[in-house]
Amino acid sequence: MQPSDLLSALRTRRVVAIVRGGDGAAALDTVLTLVRHGIDLVEVSLSGADALDVIRDARAALGPDALLGAGTVLTAQDARRAAEAGAAYIVTPAVTEAVAASRALGLPVLAGALTPTEVAAARAAGATAVKLFPAGPGGVELLRALRGPFPDVPFVPVGGVDAAAAREYLAAGALAVGVGGPLVGRAADGDPTGLTERVAAFAALGSPTTHKESS
């Protein structure tokens, strides 16, 4: 995947599903369910159980074109292992060595940042887009404030983003949003109750009518 491919996927899908759980088999089932029901831009967090196996098995099941990435990537070794498992893009919680390592591997990166200094560092390190994390405490006002000095940075708020907040972030100029618990619930721990209903609510955010103010 090229950086332009990730940006295009973020722009059209609008939602990155974050799968993190304590049961590898359930996490794999969750990834496949998300894709089957319309959310096909999925990040598997390396902090979850058997995460590399989940990525590897999901890649085998979904094929080479699946929009499958690895999240919570902290080190260069994490990045290499994620790439070997089949991750097409990398997501970091901060500006770590994994950003440059991932770019060296030819993978686009959604790099975590919260402050203006961190946003600038993420872009200087080669981030394709900036994961505004944790977005919850600052909310939409933080996104609007950062878009002032960084109007050309593609922002993806993550952390505390439910369906209502997702609509607000997208209307305020976010390229996409990253969603974990409010979408996945406890499915990756073995309890998929309500998953398909939540998927339907978030998949609707991909409609072009959702995006009002962003450039």
Side-chain angles (χ1 to χ4, degrees), residues 1-179:
M1 176 182 280
Q2 298 299 314
S4 59
D5 298 324
L6 178 59
L7 289 173
S8 178
L10 291 167
R11 186 176 297 110
T12 56
R13 271 69 173 188
R14 316 309 300 278
V15 175
V16 182
I18 302 168
V19 176
R20 176 190 293 108
D23 183 319
L28 175 60
D29 287 343
T30 300
V31 172
L32 300 180
T33 298
L34 288 164
V35 173
R36 187 165 59 246
H37 289 275
I39 295 185
D40 62 352
L41 186 56
V42 182
E43 163 199 338
V44 177
S45 172
L46 296 190
S47 63
D50 303 320
L52 292 173
D53 288 336
V54 173
I55 294 170
R56 189 175 293 108
D57 292 344
R59 174 62 65 197
L62 297 171
D65 297 327
L67 302 172
L68 182 66
T72 322
V73 178
L74 297 172
T75 68
Q77 185 178 48
D78 287 341
R80 287 192 296 271
R81 288 176 174 173
E84 290 167 358
Y89 61 92
I90 297 297
V91 184
T92 73
V95 183
T96 71
E97 66 180 23
V99 179
S102 300
R103 293 302 298 125
L105 290 166
L107 297 178
V109 185
L110 181 56
L114 185 63
T115 68
T117 299
E118 292 170 354
V119 172
R123 293 296 271 175
T128 303
V130 170
K131 168 184 170 179
L132 185 58
F133 176 79
V140 173
E141 291 309 312
L142 174 61
L143 172 63
R144 290 194 177 111
L146 288 171
R147 289 194 75 221
F150 301 106
D152 298 324
V153 170
F155 284 105
V156 181
V158 178
V161 180
D162 59 16
R167 294 186 187 92
E168 293 180 2
Y169 282 121
L170 294 174
L175 184 64
V177 293
V179 187

